[in-house]
Every structure is written in structure tokens, then in C-alpha cells.
């Protein structure tokens, strides 16, 4: 008995719409590539991906009969395309990139790179049970802060220390612990916005503290603070104006003078330093920044700073200072909500340990190593990688080696920049050169390891200060333009 031939098949045999040249789902699943993809992604996911690919090809065939009729689509090719679709969908959104923006501590690219001993410590903490809150001596409960307290106190000269999720959390927790329901006095010149919605007045409000502003944007005097202190005042707050600088006719009150006033009037002094500098950077030839130890010595009751800015560790926020206010912090239920996990505590403790030997810090701490990289070293690197870049992006662009300025980033030292060297790319087109550069920047971001530069002055600049993996960079460039290709 002959089965009736469906009309569609009749139509194809009569002239065809090309769809008969497509393999069946089953044939794709049974192909060599299909078997491999099933092993990797599972039968259900792969079958769905194959169906989607075939549906796309069928639609294309109906839209453009001639084009598809000219090509027979092999089962292997469909299997490969479906496998690529699944691999693409499974690719993590959090991916490594080459940071050639010229900003060493780039907040959007994850700030400080972690030193190798800290990476190793974090990995060890992930793999094994840890003495996170366990005292091996007594066999009973221990304290999470124990792992960083000793080092932080030794490095900053403080009586006590703790670490929480980030510096924003440290500021929130310290303010809330010292001033809940009462008042904090802050200079108008220090009511900063750090970016990423960290605005000091908002944090003060959420900490449950009333903000009392004193002085003016450019000038605040000790007498302004003194006049504002009343029965409701819990603390004075000094804030490092991280990402901007007021120049000209200015005055602010040094922390040491505020500490004297605070003690006389029976209120606390809190100092938010922003970037936590634990050693005098001038000894390495960088611009001087006040260190945490200096802020502690100036007499603040509590000092807060970040773990992943100039300190060069994992994201964290440190609070160091006197024992009595720290007891309030330790009793605060918010602390539990803001605490660090074992992985970051391990990385933080290992990073702090590197500071025990400042002579070797510049070689061990990636942030410092990158900041100290010499112009001539970067220039030699530029000479070596320029040909690979020029070859990859083609004759439509000129690649030159040009001096540029790197920034530290993350609000650390906003005015100081560091001499560096960039591969400077310019479009050779007469028209739409800007558009060509934007498209090039997008293509570089589509590389297997995306390359992120910065556009300015009709140039795409790739600042090589933070390029450390030369070989990997060149291999990566060889893949330029090979975006996931579609089927015929
Ligand atoms: C960066 C900064 C913060 C926020 O620190 P995070 O670690 O990013 O939360 C707070 N205060 C100052 C002065 C800063 O510079």
C-alpha cells in the first residue's frame, strides 16, 4: 500500500522551495558532531537548539528560494551551528577582559587585581572547611574578625579593627553605630557623591542619623564645627573628597584639629578615607596620600577605607579605631548583614600579610606593580604588539604608538595621572571616521577575551599600562573578526 504523498512534498518535488535540502532533526542528532554536543549539553537542550536552527533555515528557504536551493545543508553543519548556539548561551556574562582603558582601578572592571598569594588563599578557602569562626585552641566558637584584626591593628596603629562588605557598608555601619537617632556634623565641602549612587547625605539618612551641614563648599573652619555642636550631636565626620579637588580660596579643618575639638566636647570623630593607603606611596615615587596610620594617629575614633582601591585587595570595607566605639559596632545587628564571607576574608588576610614586607610590595601587589610600570617598559611592549594589532584590524586603520596618561581610578588621587604609552588607532576613511572607530571598538569587545580601550579625539586609545599577558593578547587578536559565523 502506498501512503498518500503530503501536498508539501508534492510541491517540493514539483520544483521545490529548498526545504527538502534540510536534514531531519534525527539525522542531525545522529551525526558525529551531534553525538558530541549531546554529551556536552544534554539531549533535550541540543534537540531544541537543532529544531531552532532548522526552523530558521526553513524560514530563510521560504523567503529566498533560490539562495537556499543552491546549497545543500549537511547534518554536520547544522549540528555545529546548534552546538555553537548552546555554547554561546552558556557563556558566562561575567568574563575576563583586557583593561586597556588606562584606568588602573576601574570600578566597572572590578577594581584591584588580587595578588597571587591572596588568590591561592581564596581558592583554598573555597575547597576546604575553614576555621572561620572556630578557635582551634579551645575547640569552641571563634571570631570572624580574628583573621584580619591583628594585621589591621599592626598596620594602622589602631586598637581594634573589623572588615565588612565594602567601604560604603563600613560608613553605613559606623554612622549607624555611633549616631542612630542623633546628629552628625559634616562640612559642605565634603558632602560627596562617589558614583554608583553612593551619596554621602543619602547614606547618612539611611544610617538613621540627622545630617548637620556646616561651612561652605570651599571653606569650612573649626569654629563652624564648634558652633554646630549641641546636645544632639553624636559625632563629627570627615570625608576624603576622593574624586574631586577644590582649588583656590579654600579651607578645611585637619582631622587632628577636629579630634581635639571632638574630645573637648565629648563627641566622636569618624574619618572616611575612601582609598585605604597602608604605606606611604611617596617611597615608591607616587604622589603622597595620607595613610590610614596617620588618620588613626590624628585621633579619629573610627577610620573607614576600601579593600579594593589602593590597598589592592578584594572588595571589602575596613573600620579601624578605638576599642569602645568598636564594641558598639560589634553589637550592631547590621554588622551581620554586612559581613564578609570566608573567601574574601582569606584573600584580604593574605593581601594584608604582603604589607609586612614593604620592600617587596611593589613586585607582589598587582595594583602597585601596574602603577609603577615605567613608560619605557610600556613603550617596548607597544613596539612588540603593534604589528599584531595593525595586521588584525586591517588597512582601514592606522596604528601609532603615542604617549598618554593613565589614571589611578576609583576616586583615588583624581588629579594625578601617570605617564604611559598607548596604541593609538585612527580611521583612514575620509567620511564617517568616527563611526568606523566606534565599530572597531565594538569588534574589539567581541574578541574571545574582549579588549576595552577608550575613544577620544578621533582616536581609539589602547593604554598598555595594564597589559601583562602579551602572548595571550596577540593570540587573542588573531581571532579578530571571526564572530560566530552563520550557516549558508
Ligand atoms: C570609594 C569611596 C567610598 C565607597 O567605597 P566602596 O568600597 O566602593 O564601597 C566611600 N567613601 C569614600 C570617600 C570613597 O572614596
Amino acid at each position: 500500500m502506498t501512503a498518500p504523498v503530503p501536498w508539501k512534498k508534492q510541491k517540493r518535488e514539483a520544483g521545490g522551495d529548498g526545504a527538502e535540502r534540510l536534514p531531519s532533526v534525527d539525522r542531525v542528532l545522529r551525526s558525529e558532531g551531534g553525538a558530541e554536543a549531546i554529551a556536552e549539553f544534554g539531549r533535550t537542550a541540543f534537540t531544541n537548539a537543532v529544531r531552532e536552527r532548522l526552523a530558521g533555515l526553513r524560514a530563510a528557504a521560504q523567503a529566498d528560494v533560490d539562495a537556499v536551493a543552491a546549497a545543500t545543508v549537511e547534518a554536520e553543519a547544522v549540528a555545529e551551528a546548534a552546538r555553537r548556539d548552546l555554547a554561546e548561551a552558556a557563556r558566562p556574562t561575567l568574563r575576563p577582559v583586557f583593561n586597556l582603558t588606562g584606568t588602573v582601578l576601574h570600578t566597572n572592571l572590578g577594581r584591584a587585581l588580587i595578588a597571587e598569594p591572596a588568590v591561592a588563599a581564596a581558592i583554598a578557602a573555597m575547597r576546604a572547611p575553614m576555621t572561620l569562626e572556630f578557635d582551634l585552641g579551645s575547640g569552641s566558637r571563634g571570631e570572624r574578625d580574628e583573621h584580619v584584626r591583628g594585621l589591621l591593628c599592626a598596620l594602622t596603629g589602631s586598637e581594634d579593627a573589623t572588615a565588612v562588605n565594602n567601604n560604603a557598608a563600613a560608613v553605613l555601619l559606623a554612622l549607624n553605630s555611633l549616631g542612630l537617632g542623633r546628629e552628625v556634623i559634616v562640612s559642605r565641602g565634603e558632602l560627596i557623591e562617589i558614583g554608583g549612587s553612593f551619596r554621602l547625605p543619602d547614606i547618612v539618612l539611611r544610617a538613621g542619623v540627622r545630617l548637620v551641614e556646616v561651612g561652605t563648599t570651599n571653606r569650612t573652619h573649626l569654629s563652624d564645627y564648634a558652633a554646630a555642636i549641641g546636645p544632639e550631636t553624636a559625632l563629627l565626620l570627615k570625608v576624603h573628597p576622593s574624586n574631586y579637588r577644590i582649588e583656590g580660596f579654600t579651607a578645611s579643618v585637619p582631622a587632628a584639629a577636629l579630634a581635639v575639638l571632638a574630645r573637648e566636647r565629648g563627641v566622636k570623630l569618624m574619618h572616611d578615607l575612601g582609598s585605604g593607603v597602608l604605606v606611604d606611596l611617596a617611597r615608591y615615587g607616587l604622589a603622597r596620600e595620607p595613610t590610614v596610620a596617620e588618620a588613626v594617629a590624628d585621633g579619629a575614633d573610627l577610620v573607614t577605607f576600601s579593600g579594593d582601591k589602593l590597598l589592592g585587595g578584594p572588595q571589602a570595607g575596613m573600620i579601624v579605631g578605638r576599642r569602645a566605639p568598636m564594641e558598639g559596632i560589634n553589637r550592631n545587628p547590621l554588622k551581620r548583614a554586612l559581613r564578609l564571607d570566608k573567601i574574601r576574608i582569606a584573600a584580604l588576610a593574605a593581601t594584608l600579610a604582603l604589607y609586612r614586607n614593604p620592600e617587596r610590595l611593589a613586585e607582589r601587589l598587582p595594583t602597585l606593580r601596574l602603577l609603577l610600570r615605567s613608560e619605557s617598559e610600556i613603550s617596548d611592549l607597544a613596539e612588540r604588539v603593534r604589528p599584531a594589532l595593525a595586521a588584525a584590524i586591517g588597512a582601514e586603520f592606522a596604528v601609532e604608538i603615542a604617549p598618554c596618561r593613565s589614571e589611578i581610578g576609583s576616586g583615588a588621587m583624581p588629579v594625578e595621572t601617570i605617564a604611559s604609552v598607548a596604541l593609538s588607532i585612527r580611521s583612514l576613511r575620509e567620511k564617517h571616521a568616527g563611526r568606523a572607530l566606534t565599530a572597531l571598538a565594538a569588534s574589539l569587545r567581541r574578541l574571545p577575551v574582549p579588549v576595552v580601550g577608550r575613544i577620544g579625539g578621533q582616536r581609539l586609545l589602547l593604554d598598555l599600562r595594564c597589559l601583562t599577558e602579551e602572548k595571550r593578547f596577540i593570540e587573542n587578536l588573531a581571532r579578530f573578526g571571526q564572530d560566530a559565523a552563520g550557516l549558508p
Side-chain angles (χ1 to χ4, degrees), residues 111 166-168 192 194 198 239-240 242 272 274 306 308-309 316:
R111 289 194 187 159
N166 57 11
N167 190 33
I192 52 166
I194 305 284
F198 181 91
V239 185
H240 189 295
S242 303
D272 176 21
S306 281
D308 56 354
K309 293 186 183 172

Side-chain angles (χ1 to χ4, degrees), residues 6-22 58 62:
W7 72 269
K8 235 180 152 176
K9 185 140 192 277
Q10 288 175 9
K11 183 179 164 210
R12 282 190 216 135
E13 278 165 359
D17 61 0
E20 78 278 12
R21 297 174 185 274
L22 294 179
R58 209 167 290 124
Q62 270 150 18

Side-chain angles (χ1 to χ4, degrees), residues 7 10 146 167 169 225 348 417:
W7 72 269
Q10 288 175 9
E146 267 318 302
N167 190 33
Y225 288 93
L348 180 59
T417 55

Side-chain angles (χ1 to χ4, degrees), residues 102-322:
T103 301
V104 176
L105 294 168
H106 197 298
T107 296
N108 303 136
L109 299 179
R111 289 194 187 159
L113 304 181
I114 311 289
E116 280 311 317
V119 171
I123 292 172
M126 284 189 262
R127 291 213 171 110
M130 302 293 285
T131 54
L132 181 61
E133 292 181 355
F134 188 79
D135 182 65
L136 285 173
S138 64
S140 59
R141 200 188 151 155
E143 245 199 277
R144 192 173 287 247
D145 281 335
E146 267 318 302
H147 310 292
V148 291
R149 182 182 285 128
L151 273 165
L152 280 172
C153 290
L155 292 165
T156 66
S158 60
E159 292 174 5
D160 205 349
T162 185
V164 288
N165 180 59
N166 57 11
N167 190 33
V171 172
L172 176 73
L173 178 60
L175 277 172
N176 179 266
S177 303
L178 292 178
L180 181 62
R182 299 178 66 203
E183 289 174 358
V184 59
I185 299 175
V186 191
S187 161
R188 290 199 169 90
E190 297 173 7
L191 289 173
I192 52 166
E193 175 180 309
I194 305 284
S197 77
F198 181 91
R199 286 179 136 189
L200 199 74
D202 298 338
I203 296 280
V204 171
L205 181 74
R206 295 299 175 124
V209 186
R210 287 195 302 282
L211 177 65
V212 175
E213 304 175 18
V214 293
T216 59
T217 307
N218 58 329
R219 288 174 76 82
T220 304
H221 306 282
L222 189 62
S223 56
D224 295 324
Y225 288 93
I229 296 177
E232 286 298 299
T233 306
L235 72 150
L236 314 180
L237 171 61
K238 184 160 182 67
V239 185
H240 189 295
S242 303
N243 49 7
Y244 82 113
R245 191 159 296 173
I246 300 180
E247 285 178 0
F249 186 56
T250 67
S252 66
V253 185
L258 287 178
V260 172
L261 176 67
R263 213 163 312 127
E264 276 171 13
R265 305 291 293 271
V267 299
K268 298 278 186 275
L269 172 66
M270 172 179 158
H271 194 166
D272 176 21
L273 275 181
S275 209
V277 178
L278 294 176
V279 285
D280 183 358
L281 294 175
R283 73 178 280 173
Y284 304 100
L286 291 169
R288 237 197 79 79
E289 266 283 284
T291 64
V292 181
E294 284 161 8
V296 169
D298 280 344
D301 294 278
L302 295 177
V303 178
T304 57
F305 55 97
S306 281
D308 56 354
K309 293 186 183 172
L310 280 169
L311 195 151
Q315 181 189 301
M318 263 56 76
I319 309 175
V320 301
R322 295 193 202 283

Side-chain angles (χ1 to χ4, degrees), residues 213-462:
E213 304 175 18
V214 293
T216 59
T217 307
N218 58 329
R219 288 174 76 82
T220 304
H221 306 282
L222 189 62
S223 56
D224 295 324
Y225 288 93
I229 296 177
E232 286 298 299
T233 306
L235 72 150
L236 314 180
L237 171 61
K238 184 160 182 67
V239 185
H240 189 295
S242 303
N243 49 7
Y244 82 113
R245 191 159 296 173
I246 300 180
E247 285 178 0
F249 186 56
T250 67
S252 66
V253 185
L258 287 178
V260 172
L261 176 67
R263 213 163 312 127
E264 276 171 13
R265 305 291 293 271
V267 299
K268 298 278 186 275
L269 172 66
M270 172 179 158
H271 194 166
D272 176 21
L273 275 181
S275 209
V277 178
L278 294 176
V279 285
D280 183 358
L281 294 175
R283 73 178 280 173
Y284 304 100
L286 291 169
R288 237 197 79 79
E289 266 283 284
T291 64
V292 181
E294 284 161 8
V296 169
D298 280 344
D301 294 278
L302 295 177
V303 178
T304 57
F305 55 97
S306 281
D308 56 354
K309 293 186 183 172
L310 280 169
L311 195 151
Q315 181 189 301
M318 263 56 76
I319 309 175
V320 301
R322 295 193 202 283
R323 209 163 279 125
M326 203 66 81
E327 275 165 19
I329 283 174
N330 287 327
R331 279 194 310 270
N332 191 330
L334 268 182
K335 193 184 176 206
R336 166 65 191 259
L338 304 172
R339 74 185 184 184
L340 286 177
D341 66 299
K342 61 177 178 174
I343 304 167
R344 278 195 286 157
I345 289 178
L348 180 59
T351 305
L352 292 172
L354 299 177
Y355 280 87
R356 284 201 178 113
N357 184 354
E359 282 80 44
R360 295 196 58 192
L361 196 61
E363 102 205 37
R364 288 172 167 172
L365 198 69
T367 299
L368 197 52
R369 196 164 63 220
L370 292 175
L371 289 174
L372 293 177
R373 235 176 161 194
S374 74
E375 224 183 318
S376 71
E377 183 193 336
I378 304 170
S379 176
D380 291 348
L381 173 64
E383 297 282 355
R384 292 196 301 273
V385 300
R386 197 197 71 83
L389 178 69
I393 64 178
E396 276 195 45
F397 298 95
V399 183
E400 285 142 11
I401 294 173
C404 68
R405 308 287 304 180
S406 306
E407 284 178 31
I408 296 173
S410 288
M413 305 186 206
V415 182
E416 284 85 9
T417 55
I418 313 168
S420 186
V421 178
L423 293 174
S424 168
I425 308 169
R426 150 176 80 84
S427 167
L428 295 175
R429 281 199 205 165
E430 275 172 25
K431 277 190 188 161
H432 306 307
R435 210 182 294 162
L437 270 190
T438 314
L440 174 65
S443 298
L444 288 169
R445 291 196 305 271
R446 279 195 299 270
L447 280 164
V449 183
V451 172
V452 187
R454 70 170 191 267
I455 289 183
Q458 293 291 308
R459 298 279 191 283
L460 172 59
L461 287 185
L462 305 181

